[in-house]
């Protein structure tokens, strides 16, 4: 049910925004008094023209960014900022096409291994420095440096020598291993990239934030440059000019951006709010121009309402639960499958999430091409909900672990009313269907991520948005010792199929290998898929030009505000 009054937090933000004059629809103007010249008394005085109002977009980010350094970021609360403050060798159009970004389209060798990019003339950082090929080489090697501890370093393993360098444990070997990494600035404008194997989706990867450049001179002079707005340097359409930690952020149009004539917004102001109800109330009060995500009950009311401000579409993302395979009895396949079979996904999507989501009986979402057709549609349902089978498997699995009853355990989730409601639904389903006691624990998002990495949980809420449009962006998450394999699961046959899919030049062979790997994953059930996301958000009528790539948050780079 929608709250009828503002919470204290909502009231705080309302007052803050009121005092700063930052209401949506209000335009910042500068009025200049009429000039008076005492030497020309009696003459008609002329008024100066009032400067045009600034175009300011107001929206919410649902978490404090964990890292706004492209090489260290790992979540959508980070990437939403990075995608507008930085630009890679390539970028994506509103239609989803990959086009030139900082560089011209690459020259590719006949064997598909060598890619040569030429940085375009006039590319600059927000501080005026030229963007160079060396910046790209430096940034990619920064990600791979073991001392950087980048969670996303594996996304660069497509480069020759990258995995050897990143996985090295001998500091003395770092220089020679770094030299062998397949990225080299031939000169100031030419970047040569050498891949381990031909990679069909590598061009897509060059638009992903881990592949963004960082300013080498800035990084070397101040390793903490990305922690505060006053030292922040980027190369995208916007620059970060204000960061009140855990409160708000401000982006301003980057006057050094090469395509600045296409950028219509002067400022983008974020408030950082982890409560969907508060953000929704601020949108209703015209304090936000765009709100995402929405409270689940609001989504349910809007899905079929015909409201012109409501937008919804597919999202290349899956909502799931990690089962910590290192914790007994979740190490037992039968116990894991029993829990999954006892969850009613249709009830969750229709009565809890309420955003038109599709129940998930596999892990790869719709929207990715197979050799023919859609990969997910070709996969179909790899398991079914079955209470009788769930009870049978749970009994057998517990007996194998020397247990009579599943001990009480907790579901860990990051603070969000939506995640809480889903966790409560799962909690009740497991209690009712399997007589299992489940506790709930909510923490800040970054705390959740840290605890998952440390293995300090039993079951945790998770979600994954595709980094690029290929099944591999999901399938390589659960390889043995993978950096995002928070379930701590390992299967040699799974690893073998992922290896085939990553190295094969035959499209059918690589897609078949990923289908086989997905079948193994769902048979072993180290994670419990719940649903495939949609992307419901609200945007005011005066805001034009918002677009939503299938694997990105709503993009405002080309947005405009009607005045």
């Amino acid at each position: 049910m929608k709250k009828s009054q503002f919470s204290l937090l909502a009231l705080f933000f309302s007052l803050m925004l009121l005092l700063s004059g930052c209401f949506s629809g209000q335009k910042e103007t500068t009025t200049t008094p009429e000039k008076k010249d005492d030497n020309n008394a009696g003459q008609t005085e002329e008024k100066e023209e009032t400067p045009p109002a600034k175009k300011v977009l107001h929206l919410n980010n649902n978490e404090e960014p964990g890292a706004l350094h492209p090489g260290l970021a790992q979540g959508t609360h980070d990437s939403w900022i990075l995608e507008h403050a930085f630009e890679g060798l390539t970028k994506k159009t509103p239609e989803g096409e990959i086009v030139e970004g900082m560089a011209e389209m690459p020259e590719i060798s006949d064997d598909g291994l060598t890619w040569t990019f030429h940085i375009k003339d006039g590319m600059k950082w927000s501080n005026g420095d030229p963007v160079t090929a060396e910046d790209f080489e430096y940034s990619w090697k920064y990600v791979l440096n073991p001392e950087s501890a980048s969670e996303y370093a594996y996304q660069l393993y497509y480069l020759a020598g990258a995995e050897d360098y990143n996985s090295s444990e001998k500091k003395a070997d770092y220089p020679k291993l770094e030299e062998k990494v397949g990225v080299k600035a031939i000169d100031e404008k030419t970047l040569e990239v050498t891949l381990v194997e031909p990679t069909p989706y590598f061009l897509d990867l060059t638009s992903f934030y881990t592949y963004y450049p960082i300013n080498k001179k800035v990084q070397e002079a101040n390793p903490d440059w990305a922690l505060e707005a006053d030292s922040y340097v980027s190369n995208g359409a916007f620059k970060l000019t204000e960061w009140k930690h855990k409160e708000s952020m401000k982006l301003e149009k980057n006057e050094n951006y090469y395509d600045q004539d296409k950028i219509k917004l002067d400022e983008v102001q974020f408030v950082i709010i982890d409560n969907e109800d508060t953000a929704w109330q601020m949108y209703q009060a015209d304090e936000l121009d765009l709100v995402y995500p929405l409270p689940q009950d609001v989504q349910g009311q809007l899905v079929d309402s015909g409201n012109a401000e409501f937008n919804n579409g597919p999202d290349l993302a899956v909502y799931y639960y990690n089962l910590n395979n290192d914790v007994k009895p979740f190490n037992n396949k039968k116990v894991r499958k029993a829990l999954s079979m006892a969850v009613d996904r249709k009830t969750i999507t229709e009565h809890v999430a309420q955003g038109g989501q599709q129940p998930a009986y596999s892990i790869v979402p719709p929207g990715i091409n197979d050799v023919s057709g859609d990969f997910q549609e070709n996969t179909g349902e790899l398991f079914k909900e079955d209470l009788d089978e769930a009870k049978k498997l749970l009994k057998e699995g517990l007996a194998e672990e020397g247990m009579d009853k599943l001990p009480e355990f907790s579901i860990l989730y990051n603070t969000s009313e939506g995640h809480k409601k889903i966790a409560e639904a799962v909690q009740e389903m497991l209690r009712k269907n399997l007589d299992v006691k489940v506790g709930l624990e909510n923490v800040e998002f970054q705390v959740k991520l840290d605890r998952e990495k440390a293995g300090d949980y039993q079951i945790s809420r998770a979600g994954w948005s595709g980094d690029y449009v290929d099944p591999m962006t999901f399938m390589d998450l659960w390889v043995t010792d993978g950096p995002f394999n928070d379930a701590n699961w390992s299967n040699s046959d799974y690893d073998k199929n992922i290896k085939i899919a990553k190295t094969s030049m035959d499209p059918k062979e690589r897609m078949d290998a990923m289908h086989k790997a997905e079948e193994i994953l769902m048979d072993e059930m180290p994670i419990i898929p719940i649903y495939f996301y949609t992307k419901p958000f609200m945007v005011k009528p005066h805001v034009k030009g918002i677009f939503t790539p299938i694997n990105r948050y709503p993009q405002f780079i080309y947005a405009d505000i009607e005045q």
Side-chain angles (χ1 to χ4, degrees), residues 86-115:
F86 282 84
E87 186 169 291
L89 295 168
T90 61
K91 62 182 179 181
K92 290 188 176 180
T93 67
E95 296 74 33
E97 181 184 1
I98 303 171
V99 297
E100 296 178 352
M102 289 285 109
E104 300 170 356
M105 295 303 281
E107 302 160 6
I108 306 173
S109 62
D110 291 341
D111 61 6
L113 297 180
T114 304
W115 297 52

Side-chain angles (χ1 to χ4, degrees), residues 372-559:
S372 62
D374 182 271
F375 188 93
Q376 190 275 329
E377 290 181 4
N378 291 343
T379 297
E381 296 183 358
L382 296 180
F383 66 94
K384 295 185 182 295
E385 293 150 11
D386 187 329
L387 294 186
D388 290 337
E389 182 67 10
K391 293 174 183 177
K392 173 176 172 290
L393 288 174
L394 182 60
K395 183 177 181 180
E396 292 177 356
L398 291 174
E400 290 173 2
E401 301 302 320
M403 306 170 76
D404 294 325
K405 188 175 180 64
L406 186 65
E408 183 174 353
F409 60 87
S410 294
I411 295 176
L412 179 71
Y413 65 94
N414 53 294
T415 304
S416 159
E417 192 63 26
H419 299 326
K420 178 183 177 182
K421 289 179 180 178
I422 292 173
E424 288 174 340
V426 172
Q427 177 188 47
E428 176 59 17
M429 290 171 185
L430 295 180
R431 182 201 67 79
K432 178 181 178 181
N433 297 331
L434 296 178
D435 192 25
V436 173
K437 291 184 179 180
V438 182
L440 304 180
E441 183 181 7
N442 73 291
V443 295
E444 290 185 357
F445 188 41
Q446 194 60 46
V447 173
K448 182 192 84 80
L449 295 177
D450 293 341
R451 285 183 56 178
E452 286 171 332
K453 292 291 176 284
D456 180 21
Y457 77 96
Q458 295 162 311
I459 295 182
S460 71
R461 170 265 157 192
W464 191 263
S465 296
D467 299 329
Y468 49 94
V469 187
D470 187 273
M472 187 58 73
T473 190
F474 296 93
M475 297 311 303
D476 66 0
L477 293 177
W478 294 283
V479 295
T480 300
D481 296 327
F484 290 97
N485 184 356
D486 296 327
N488 301 311
W489 173 72
S490 177
N491 182 284
S492 59
D493 288 337
Y494 182 87
D495 294 347
K496 177 183 175 182
N497 279 285
I498 297 303
K499 182 67 173 177
I500 292 171
K502 281 195 169 184
T503 58
S504 175
M505 296 178 65
D506 181 340
K508 185 176 187 307
E509 182 182 39
R510 67 182 302 271
M511 289 296 177
D512 286 347
M514 284 189 282
H515 279 298
K516 290 176 184 176
E518 191 172 21
E519 291 170 5
I520 293 169
L521 186 71
M522 292 294 92
D523 180 60
E524 289 279 324
M525 204 64 72
I527 57 169
I528 299 176
I530 302 296
Y531 61 70
F532 298 126
Y533 280 84
T534 52
K535 200 178 297 174
F537 65 96
M538 293 286 282
V539 62
K540 297 292 183 179
H542 60 263
V543 179
K544 307 298 181 183
I546 299 291
F547 66 99
T548 54
I550 191 171
N551 61 333
R552 297 285 190 273
Y553 271 26
Q555 302 288 289
F556 52 80
I557 182 172
Y558 300 122

Side-chain angles (χ1 to χ4, degrees), residues 55 57 238 262-266 268 542-547 555-561:
K55 295 183 177 182
L57 180 71
F238 296 90
K262 294 182 180 179
I263 310 306
K264 306 303 180 184
L265 296 177
D266 295 299
V268 180
H542 60 263
V543 179
K544 307 298 181 183
I546 299 291
F547 66 99
Q555 302 288 289
F556 52 80
I557 182 172
Y558 300 122
D560 197 1
I561 293 179

